[in-house]
Amino acid sequence: MEAAAAADVLPSGSSQELHVLAVDDSYVDRKVIEKLLKISSCKVTAVESGARALQFLGLDGEKGSLGFDGLKVNLIMTDYSMPGMTGYELLKKIKRSSAFREIPVVIMSSENILTRIDSCLEEGAEEFLVKPVKLSDVRRLMKDCVMRGETEGNNAGRRVDKRKFEDDNHTSSLSSSSSLTPSPPSTTAPFGGDVATSELVSSSPPHSSKRAKLHDGD
Amino acid sequence: MERNPLRRQLQLMRKSLFDQGYLDEQFVQLEELQDDTNPNFVEEVVTLYYRDSARLVLNIEQALERKPYNFHKLDAYMHQFKGSSSSIGAKKVKAESTLFREYCKSGNGEGCMRCFQQLKKEYATLRKKLEAYFQVARQAGPMETACRPK
């Protein structure tokens, strides 16, 4: 059975597990995400706030860039709605730091709001996951994170999954010849046919939907 | 069909929880995370949920005692509560939470109050049912569930 554990798919020569920094103010969610990640063979550091996350990364000006125990962080998964610093604000801080902007950041949210998803992706989030997060989400994330490292410059990894679309933004401007699962048009740019085919990943599981990143940032 | 009577009972209890709409798919997700190294994971998460959410329930209760209602605050509390409830697959509780938030958004204080009473009932009922379920689970011993391999 395909476990796609992080340890299995790492490039040859690397025996390190991925170290994930999980940020969520909910105790229950931290426990669950921690388990999801551990089962996927990751090392996990779970913290309760953006401030703590920055502290761990050393971005609060206190320590060096490797975190308290010297473990490099390979992925950051953060809840969106948190008191104090939101996941979005944390994302921005990370992407604006020279030391950590390369670390993929995944946003998790119980609310499937298009503008929110747009903003996060625009700020450089790797993915936007709708909560509750499933094991299949994490497994896919592990594959993507590793593939992303191997295939630099390939846009295939950037997408949104588990989008259950609300009414109005659905399907309107997709060309009928597209064989990809429908995704909402961007609110600021026309949804061009070539963009759809070049940026969306075609081998997607049927339940998830892809969204082209139409705003060129990187 | 499970031969062991305790396990059979457990299966029936579990099926009933799903059939009657108390639990949803997310509970199954939690079960998939359970293994030999952590055989009581689901029970631990549920216990954590009830412990942690008690605080939120109290906050909401207190907020509902202060008139006029601060709908923004009520909604914020319920957003958190709904999140945790969703994480353990508490289907009915989650539904009531959603309804409560709708009432908050439309500024319907009466609706909030009524809904909250119902929510507390569902919350308590689920707790009793899950406690009974986990008790049998512990007695039945580790189940050979069709889980993901190690």
Side-chain angles (χ1 to χ4, degrees):
Chain A
M1 199 162 145
E2 37 97 4
D8 295 342
V9 297
L10 282 172
S12 57
S14 168
S15 56
Q16 275 194 307
E17 291 174 314
L18 284 185
H19 178 207
V20 183
L21 176 62
V23 191
D24 200 318
D25 60 310
S26 159
Y27 201 173
V28 172
D29 287 356
R30 276 203 303 282
K31 187 169 173 87
V32 175
I33 197 81
E34 194 168 28
K35 189 70 178 171
L36 282 170
L37 290 167
K38 282 193 172 144
I39 264 172
S40 307
S41 304
C42 296
K43 280 199 165 58
V44 190
T45 299
V47 298
E48 68 198 3
S49 68
R52 277 259 180 272
L54 292 177
Q55 207 174 22
F56 183 79
L57 292 170
L59 271 180
D60 61 344
E62 299 276 320
K63 284 202 157 241
S65 64
L66 288 183
F68 294 155
D69 55 357
L71 276 179
K72 185 170 166 355
V73 171
N74 304 113
L75 169 68
I76 296 169
M77 292 182 74
T78 178
D79 187 27
Y80 185 95
S81 314
M82 296 188 290
M85 193 187 306
T86 64
Y88 178 68
E89 285 159 356
L90 176 62
L91 166 69
K92 282 201 286 192
K93 286 194 156 65
I94 289 165
K95 290 301 168 186
R96 284 165 200 192
S97 92
S98 47
F100 299 107
R101 70 161 66 102
E102 288 309 310
I103 303 178
V105 180
V106 170
I107 307 284
M108 304 177 283
S109 175
S110 55
E111 289 169 315
N112 192 5
I113 300 168
L114 190 58
T115 48
R116 175 179 293 188
I117 295 168
D118 274 356
S119 328
C120 289
L121 292 181
E122 276 173 50
E123 278 298 328
E126 198 65 24
E127 283 211 33
F128 187 99
L129 294 178
V130 177
K131 282 173 130 181
V133 176
K134 292 173 156 42
L135 192 52
S136 52
D137 294 325
V138 174
R139 283 182 179 154
R140 200 194 54 248
L141 216 55
M142 295 299 108
K143 265 204 280 216
D144 289 352
C145 275
V146 175
M147 271 178 64
R148 186 179 168 276
E150 289 184 317
T151 59
E152 287 293 12
N154 182 346
N155 277 333
R158 192 160 291 248
R159 61 187 190 187
V160 172
D161 287 285
K162 281 180 62 180
R163 299 279 304 285
K164 300 163 204 99
F165 295 115
E166 325 280 86
D167 33 333
D168 47 341
N169 288 316
H170 203 13
T171 64
S172 43
S173 65
L174 247 206
S175 70
S176 54
S177 57
S178 171
S179 57
L180 298 159
T181 47
S183 39
S186 159
T187 49
T188 62
F191 194 82
D194 354 332
V195 179
T197 46
S198 67
E199 296 221 72
L200 294 175
V201 178
S202 55
S203 56
S204 51
H207 69 273
S208 70
S209 25
K210 307 290 170 275
R211 181 182 174 281
K213 184 168 188 294
L214 300 172
H215 308 280
D216 234 53
D218 27 14
Chain B
M1 181 61 162
E2 187 59 65
R3 287 169 153 270
N4 179 311
L6 269 179
R7 288 190 192 172
R8 201 160 47 234
Q9 182 187 3
L10 194 65
Q11 273 180 354
L12 287 170
M13 287 173 91
R14 186 182 176 279
K15 185 172 189 306
S16 165
L17 285 166
F18 282 96
D19 289 349
Q20 293 180 6
Y22 287 102
L23 297 176
D24 65 28
E25 164 65 24
Q26 185 57 20
F27 190 83
V28 179
Q29 286 287 313
L30 293 184
E31 289 176 317
E32 284 183 12
L33 298 178
Q34 196 156 275
D35 59 20
D36 294 346
T37 62
N38 211 169
N40 301 311
F41 178 71
V42 185
E43 184 177 1
E44 283 167 21
V45 176
V46 171
T47 303
L48 183 59
Y49 163 74
Y50 275 100
R51 228 188 5 238
D52 200 48
S53 57
R55 171 187 51 93
L56 283 168
V57 171
L58 186 61
N59 287 342
I60 295 169
E61 209 136 47
Q62 288 172 342
L64 286 172
E65 278 161 21
R66 278 176 238 126
K67 296 230 172 85
Y69 289 155
N70 182 339
F71 289 110
H72 178 78
K73 200 177 216 174
L74 284 168
D75 186 62
Y77 284 140
M78 191 51 78
H79 169 78
Q80 281 189 281
F81 180 81
K82 181 184 167 183
S84 302
S85 306
S86 171
S87 294
I88 68 155
K91 194 171 180 178
K92 290 191 191 207
V93 175
K94 181 181 171 179
E96 292 298 329
S97 308
T98 301
L99 189 56
F100 185 92
R101 294 192 73 196
E102 298 292 312
Y103 284 130
C104 283
K105 289 188 178 76
S106 54
N108 185 340
E110 180 57 45
C112 282
M113 182 54 96
R114 264 181 301 129
C115 181
F116 189 60
Q117 300 315 312
Q118 183 59 26
L119 183 150
K120 282 193 289 182
K121 280 205 192 96
E122 295 295 352
Y123 179 72
T125 300
L126 179 64
R127 180 185 208 147
K128 281 203 208 72
K129 286 185 180 283
L130 286 176
E131 274 171 356
Y133 175 76
F134 290 127
Q135 192 165 41
V136 175
R138 270 182 262 121
Q139 287 167 2
M143 284 222 295
E144 280 130 36
T145 41
C147 277
R148 75 198 149 72
K150 290 277 203 46

